[in-house]
Amino acid sequence: MSVLNLSRAAAARCSVNISGSALLYDPTVEHVGALLRGLDPDCTPVPVSGNDICRILADLLQADTLHTIHLLGHGAPGGIFFGNVFVNDSIWEGLTRESALDRAPSSIQTINFWSCETGRGEIGMKFLKQVADSTGATVHGSDRKVGSAEHGGSWELGRHAAPRPPFSGDALERFEGVLNH
C-alpha cells in the first residue's frame, strides 16, 4: 500500500473514535518500522502525510476519548515536519482556529513532539507554549536531537509547556492562598 493510501486510510480511521493515545507519524522517517514494532499496544499508530496532517490533527484534538497525542517526524526549532509540511506556529494557529478548540472541550491531556529540536530556543518554547495554551494540554518537546544515542540523540523530551491558568494576571496576583488540603 502506498504512503498516500495509508494516509487516506488513516484519515478515515480518525473519524472513528481512537481511545487512549495515538501516534501520528511521518511514514517517510527512516527506520520508523523499528519503533512501530515496539509501540505500546494501547497507542494507535496513524501514518500521516503532509497533505493530511492538519485535517487529522484537527479531528483528534476534538476527540473525547483520547488523552495523549504523540507526533513523530523530523523537527526543527519551532515545529515538526510531516512530509514537506512544516507544522509551526502559523499552521497551528490556523488548525486550532478551524477546529474551534475554544468551543469544543478536549480530553487531550498530553502532546509529545518526538522530533529533533522542536522545543529549541525562544521560537521552540513559543511554539510549545502556543500548543499548550490552545489545547489545555501539557506539551513536551526536545531542544536536542531525538533518537538513537549512537547518533547523538536521546528519547528524553526536556522542554515542557503547561497551559496558562484560566485567570487574569491580576486575579492571580490578588490570590493570597495556596490550594493544599
Side-chain angles (χ1 to χ4, degrees):
M1 185 179 278
S2 74
V3 170
L4 182 57
N5 288 337
L6 281 171
S7 294
R8 286 187 181 137
R13 277 202 339 234
C14 283
S15 61
V16 175
N17 281 341
I18 295 174
S19 62
S21 63
L23 169 70
L24 277 61
Y25 70 94
D26 180 343
T28 66
V29 169
E30 288 184 31
H31 313 295
V32 72
L35 296 172
L36 294 175
R37 284 189 290 279
L39 186 63
D40 183 323
D42 295 328
C43 186
T44 302
V46 182
V48 182
S49 74
N51 296 333
D52 296 328
I53 185 61
C54 291
R55 181 168 28 95
I56 291 173
L57 255 177
D59 287 348
L60 290 180
L61 287 171
Q62 294 182 40
D64 59 1
T65 59
L66 194 63
H67 58 75
T68 303
I69 296 176
H70 300 278
L71 296 113
L72 184 137
H74 293 289
I80 184 171
F81 285 94
F82 283 86
N84 62 351
V85 174
F86 186 55
V87 179
N88 61 7
D89 59 346
S90 60
I91 297 286
W92 192 269
E93 182 180 335
L95 177 127
T96 56
R97 187 174 343 115
E98 288 176 23
S99 61
L101 285 178
D102 59 337
R103 289 174 276 157
S106 176
S107 64
I108 307 299
Q109 299 167 5
T110 307
I111 298 174
N112 297 314
F113 286 93
W114 300 102
S115 51
C116 292
E117 301 181 342
T118 296
R120 184 173 179 207
E122 185 177 328
I123 191 170
M125 279 308 300
K126 178 183 172 193
F127 176 67
L128 297 181
K129 184 70 173 147
Q130 176 187 23
V131 173
D133 287 344
S134 66
T135 62
T138 300
V139 179
H140 306 276
S142 181
D143 61 352
R144 305 175 35 195
K145 288 182 180 180
V146 172
S148 168
E150 290 180 16
H151 296 280
S154 168
W155 290 103
E156 293 182 25
L157 301 179
R159 304 289 291 212
H160 313 281
R164 68 178 173 269
F167 312 105
S168 70
D170 187 48
L172 293 173
E173 287 178 25
R174 287 193 318 257
F175 184 75
E176 295 181 7
V178 290
L179 301 171
N180 64 338
H181 182 15

